[in-house]
C-alpha cells in the first residue's frame, strides 16, 4: 500500500509556488478517491475536470517558460534565436545568459516537470483504484475510456522536459567541475573568536579531548554484537547544539569522531540544494547552526541555496555544512564498517533520484550507506524501485573495466577505490519510519507495539517489498508482551528503533536488550554521558 495522497500533500507543503508566486495545480487525489463507490458519473466528471485543469496548468507554465527563454535571448542580444528548435534554444540560452539565469531556468523546469508528473500519476492511480472494485459495485471499467483521454492530453508532453532538464544538468555539472570553488577563510573567523576568549582556548581543547577519550573508552566496553547495531544520531554531537565539547550535529567531524572511535553507524538528514547537490541538513534552513544566524544564507531554505552559498556558510564551530559525498568519502577512508543511515524528509522525492545519480557516478561509495529511510511511504517505494533498477543496471554491465582514476566518465569506469565488482555491490536497505503515538503531522504513519499488523501492507508493493521499518521507541516495548511482539516482527523484516531526547532509549542496557533479545537491527542513540553508566 503506497500512501500516494500523503505524498502529494508533502509536495504541496514543500513547494508552495513557482517563481510567479502562483500555486501549481495538484490533482485533489484524496477528494476524488473519496467519490469511488458513490457514482460513476460523479467520479468521471471530477476526474475529467482535474485532467483538464492539470493540462491547462502545464500549458500555461510551459508557455511562460518558453516566453522567458526567447525573451532573455533577445535581451542579451542573441542574433541566432530565430526559428530555433527547442533543444537548440536551451543550449543557446545556457551559452548566452550566464550561470545564474541558467540555474533559475533549471529550477523552474524541474518544478513544472515534478508537479505535472505527479498529476499524471495521480490521475492514472485514480482510474486504477476505481476499476479495482468496479465489478463488485456494478460499475463499468474506466481504463478503456479515461486512460486514452489522459495519455493523449497535453500534460503528457511533460516527459519532453526531461531532455531539457538533463541538458541543463550536464551543463551545470561541467561548470561546477571546471571552476575552482574556494571555501571562505574560516580561519579568520575563528581567529576573531579566539581573540575574544583567548583564556578559554586551552580549556575548550582539553574538554573536547576528554569527551573524545570518554567515547573511545566507552565504545570498547560494548559487545561486538551490539556495537554493529548502534546508530549515532546525527553523529557524535551534543543534542542541545552546544559545540564546546562535541562536534556540531550533521557535521563532518561529528561523523568522523564516531567512526574513528569504533562506532559503525551514523544517522544523518539530507536535503537537495538548488543546483542538486546533496547536503546534510536537518532543518529547512541553517539558522540554528550558523555562526551568524541573521545572515541571508543561513535563513534561506536549503533548497534555495547553491553549492557556492553552502560552502561560504559558516557553522558555529567554524566548519561548513558538508556535502553527502564528502561524508561518504570519509567513511570509505576510515574503514569498511563505517556506514551512514540516511533520512530523506517527507515529500522530497528529488533527493531519492539525486541519490541514485550519486551512486551511479560513485559506485564505490554505495556500500558506505547501510539504510535509506523516510516517513514518506511513497518516496520509499520509489527509492526501492530505483535501487533495484540500479542493481539490475550494474549486473547487466558485467565486470568493470580496469580502474582509470582519470576517467572523465566515472559512471562507466569503476573508480580506483572500488573494492568489489560492479555487479556485486550491496545496495542500501530501504526502511519506513513510523511513530508510536497519535501522529502530530499528517504524514506520519502510526503503529502501536501491541499491534504491528498494519506494517505488512505498508511494506508490500506490486513489484517489490521494502526491507523493513524504523519504529519509535516506547517503554512498553520492554514488557514481556512488547518484546514478544518486536521479536515476532524482527523474524519477518528488518527493524530499527528511534527515540526522542530523554525518552529512556538512550541507555545501553535498553539498547542491548532490544538488539540481543529481540533481534532489532538498528537502534539510534545520542550517546549521553550516562549511556553506559549502569552496565
Amino acid at each position: 500500500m503506497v500512501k500516494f495522497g500523503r505524498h502529494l500533500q508533502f509536495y504541496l507543503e514543500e513547494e508552495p509556488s513557482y517563481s510567479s508566486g502562483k500555486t501549481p495545480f495538484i490533482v485533489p487525489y484524496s477528494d476524488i478517491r473519496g467519490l469511488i463507490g458513490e457514482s460513476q458519473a460523479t467520479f468521471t466528471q471530477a476526474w475529467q475536470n482535474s485532467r483538464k485543469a492539470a493540462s491547462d496548468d502545464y500549458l500555461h507554465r510551459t508557455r511562460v517558460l518558453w516566453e522567458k527563454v526567447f525573451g532573455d535571448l533577445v535581451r542579451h542580444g542573441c542574433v541566432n534565436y530565430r526559428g530555433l528548435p527547442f533543444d537548440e534554444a536551451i543550449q543557446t540560452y545556457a551559452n548566452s545568459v550566464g550561470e545564474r539565469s541558467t540555474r533559475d531556468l533549471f529550477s523552474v523546469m524541474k518544478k513544472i516537470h515534478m508537479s505535472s508528473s505527479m498529476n499524471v500519476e495521480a490521475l492514472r492511480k485514480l482510474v486504477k483504484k476505481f476499476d479495482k472494485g468496479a465489478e463488485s459495485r456494478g460499475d463499468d471499467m474506466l481504463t478503456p475510456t479515461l486512460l486514452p483521454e489522459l495519455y493523449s492530453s497535453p500534460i503528457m508532453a511533460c516527459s519532453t522536459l526531461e531532455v531539457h532538464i538533463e541538458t541543463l544538468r550536464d551543463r551545470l555539472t561541467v561548470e561546477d567541475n571546471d571552476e575552482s570553488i574556494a571555501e571562505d577563510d574560516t580561519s579568520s573567523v575563528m581567529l576573531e573568536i579566539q581573540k575574544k576568549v583567548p583564556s578559554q582556548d586551552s580549556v575548550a581543547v582539553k574538554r573536547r579531548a576528554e569527551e573524545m577519550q570518554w567515547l573511545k573508552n566507552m565504545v570498547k566496553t560494548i559487545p561486538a554484537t551490539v556495537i554493529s547495531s548502534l546508530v549515532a544520531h546525527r553523529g557524535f554531537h551534543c543534542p542541545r547544539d552546544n559545540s564546546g565539547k562535541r562536534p556540531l550535529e550533521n557535521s563532518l567531524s561529528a561523523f568522523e569522531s564516531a567512526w574513528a572511535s569504533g562506532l559503525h553507524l551514523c544517522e544523518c538528514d539530507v536535503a537537495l540544494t538548488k543546483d542538486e547537490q546533496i547536503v546534510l541538513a536537518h532543518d529547512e534552513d541553517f539558522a540554528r547552526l550558523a555562526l551568524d544566524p541573521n545572515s541571508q544564507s543561513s535563513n534561506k531554505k536549503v533548497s534555495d541555496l547553491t553549492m557556492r552559498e553552502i560552502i561560504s556558510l559558516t557553522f558555529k564551530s567554524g566548519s561548513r555544512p558538508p556535502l553527502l559525498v564528502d561524508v561518504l568519502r570519509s567513511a570509505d577512508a576510515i574503514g569498511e564498517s563505517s556506514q551512514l543511515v540516511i533520512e530523506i524528509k517527507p515529500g522530497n522525492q528529488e533527493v531519492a533520484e539525486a541519490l541514485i545519480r550519486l551512486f551511479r557516478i560513485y559506485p564505490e561509495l554505495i556500500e558506505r550507506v547501510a539504510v535509506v529511510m523516510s516517513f514518506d511511504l511513497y518516496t520509499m517505494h520509489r527509492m526501492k524501485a530505483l535501487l533495484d533498477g540500479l542493481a539490475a543496471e550494474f549486473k547487466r554491465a558485467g565486470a568493470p573495466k580496469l580502474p582509470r582514476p582519470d576517467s572523465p566518465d566515472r559512471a562507466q569506469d569503476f573508480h580506483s577505490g572500488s573494492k568489489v565488482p560492479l555487479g556485486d555491490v550491496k545496495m542500501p536497505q530501504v526502511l519506513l519510519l513510523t511513530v508510536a503515538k497519535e501522529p502530530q503531522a499528517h504524514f506520519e504513519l502510526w503503529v502501536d507495539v501491541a499491534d504491528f499488523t498494519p506494517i505488512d501492507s505498508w511494506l508490500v508493493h506490486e513489484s517489490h517489498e521494502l526491507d523493513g521499518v524504523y519504529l519509535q521507541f516506547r517503554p512498553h516495548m520492554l514488557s514481556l508482551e512488547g518484546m514478544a511482539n518486536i521479536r515476532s516482527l524482527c523474524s519477518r523484516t528488518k527493524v530499527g528503533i528511534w527515540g526522542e531526547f530523554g525518552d529512556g532509549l538512550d541507555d545501553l542496557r535498553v539498547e542491548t536488550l532490544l538488539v540481543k533479545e529481540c533481534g532489532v537491527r538498528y537502534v539510534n542513540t545520542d550517546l549521553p554521558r550516562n549511556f553506559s553508566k549502569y552496565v
Side-chain angles (χ1 to χ4, degrees), residues 455-488:
I455 291 174
D456 296 329
S457 64
W458 294 340
L459 300 186
V460 176
H461 189 260
E462 295 171 352
S463 60
H464 59 259
E465 185 173 344
L466 299 188
D467 297 294
V469 63
Y470 231 97
L471 305 171
Q472 183 179 13
F473 175 73
R474 276 286 166 270
H476 183 57
M477 288 180 172
L478 304 179
S479 67
L480 292 178
E481 178 191 8
M483 290 177 64
N485 288 343
I486 292 176
R487 196 177 298 116
S488 174

Side-chain angles (χ1 to χ4, degrees), residues 109-177:
M109 272 191 178
K110 287 200 303 174
K111 290 179 178 180
I112 295 174
H113 179 262
M114 178 62 73
S115 62
S116 301
S117 297
M118 285 197 299
N119 281 337
V120 169
E121 184 67 358
L123 291 166
R124 184 193 68 80
K125 281 182 174 290
L126 285 167
V127 173
K128 182 179 178 181
K129 281 191 174 292
F130 184 92
D131 284 358
K132 186 176 182 181
E135 186 176 348
S136 63
R137 296 191 307 268
D139 290 327
D140 297 329
M141 299 284 282
L142 293 181
T143 294
T145 55
L146 293 188
L147 287 193
E149 186 178 323
L150 171 63
Y151 294 161
S152 61
S153 62
I155 195 174
M156 293 304 297
C158 69
S159 59
T160 63
L161 286 178
E162 293 178 13
V163 178
H164 307 319
I165 290 170
E166 285 304 315
T167 296
L168 292 177
R169 178 178 287 129
D170 292 344
R171 173 61 178 266
L172 293 169
T173 300
V174 168
E175 289 180 357
D176 285 341
N177 290 339

Side-chain angles (χ1 to χ4, degrees), residues 281-311:
H282 176 270
D283 302 346
E284 68 173 18
D285 59 41
F286 288 113
R288 179 169 60 88
L289 304 179
L291 183 63
D292 180 4
N294 298 314
S295 70
Q296 184 178 3
S297 293
S298 63
N299 283 277
K300 267 188 178 182
K301 288 181 67 173
V302 177
S303 57
D304 291 332
L305 293 169
T306 64
M307 185 169 70
R308 285 177 177 79
E309 290 174 307
I310 291 286
I311 288 178

Side-chain angles (χ1 to χ4, degrees), residues 10-285:
F10 303 153
Y11 175 79
L12 284 171
E13 291 178 357
E14 292 297 315
E15 298 289 348
S17 66
Y18 292 142
S19 55
S20 63
K22 185 178 179 182
T23 302
F25 175 80
I26 296 295
V27 170
Y29 179 84
S30 298
D31 293 344
I32 298 177
R33 187 183 60 187
L35 299 176
I36 296 175
E38 289 189 12
S39 157
Q40 179 168 322
T42 303
F43 175 89
T44 300
Q45 187 62 57
W47 185 94
Q48 289 175 327
N49 289 343
S50 288
R51 183 205 58 75
K52 183 179 185 306
S55 291
D56 289 347
D57 182 75
Y58 172 77
L59 288 172
H60 168 72
R61 297 188 186 285
T62 51
R63 184 175 66 251
V64 170
L65 181 146
W66 285 110
E67 286 173 351
K68 174 175 175 53
V69 167
F70 284 99
D72 284 356
L73 288 177
V74 172
R75 282 189 289 276
H76 281 79
C78 177
V79 296
N80 297 319
Y81 68 88
R82 292 186 295 275
L84 279 176
F86 55 74
D87 53 342
E88 291 183 25
I90 294 298
Q91 291 278 12
T92 305
Y93 186 88
N95 291 335
S96 304
V97 303
E99 182 189 345
R100 177 168 300 204
S101 294
T102 301
R103 288 197 187 279
D104 289 343
L105 180 70
F106 178 59
S107 179
V108 171
M109 272 191 178
K110 287 200 303 174
K111 290 179 178 180
I112 295 174
H113 179 262
M114 178 62 73
S115 62
S116 301
S117 297
M118 285 197 299
N119 281 337
V120 169
E121 184 67 358
L123 291 166
R124 184 193 68 80
K125 281 182 174 290
L126 285 167
V127 173
K128 182 179 178 181
K129 281 191 174 292
F130 184 92
D131 284 358
K132 186 176 182 181
E135 186 176 348
S136 63
R137 296 191 307 268
D139 290 327
D140 297 329
M141 299 284 282
L142 293 181
T143 294
T145 55
L146 293 188
L147 287 193
E149 186 178 323
L150 171 63
Y151 294 161
S152 61
S153 62
I155 195 174
M156 293 304 297
C158 69
S159 59
T160 63
L161 286 178
E162 293 178 13
V163 178
H164 307 319
I165 290 170
E166 285 304 315
T167 296
L168 292 177
R169 178 178 287 129
D170 292 344
R171 173 61 178 266
L172 293 169
T173 300
V174 168
E175 289 180 357
D176 285 341
N177 290 339
D178 286 347
E179 296 176 14
S180 175
I181 306 173
E183 294 188 32
D184 271 8
D185 185 5
T186 55
S187 61
S188 63
V189 177
M190 296 308 295
L191 183 60
E192 289 302 313
I193 296 174
Q194 292 167 6
K195 285 179 179 177
K196 294 177 183 178
V197 286
S199 61
Q200 297 180 10
D201 183 64
S202 58
V203 176
V205 170
K206 183 179 179 181
R207 291 174 65 193
R208 287 195 293 270
E210 290 174 349
E211 196 72 4
M212 281 303 304
Q213 192 59 51
W214 168 82
L215 177 63
K216 291 177 180 179
N217 293 340
M218 188 274 294
V219 168
K220 290 177 182 177
T221 68
I222 302 175
T225 53
V226 177
I227 199 71
S228 61
S229 294
L230 294 185
V231 182
H233 180 234
R234 303 184 203 170
F236 181 56
H237 78 291
C238 178
R240 293 191 173 92
D241 300 334
N242 178 6
S243 58
K245 294 169 65 175
R246 295 186 179 187
L248 214 55
E249 68 175 58
N250 279 326
S251 64
L252 189 57
S253 57
F255 299 111
E256 291 177 341
S257 297
W259 288 324
S261 297
L263 292 168
H264 295 188
L265 298 162
C266 289
E267 185 266 357
C268 70
D269 311 273
V270 295
L272 200 64
T273 65
K274 186 176 181 179
D275 46 1
E276 296 195 320
Q277 298 295 319
I278 306 177
V279 65
L280 271 60
H282 176 270
D283 302 346
E284 68 173 18
D285 59 41

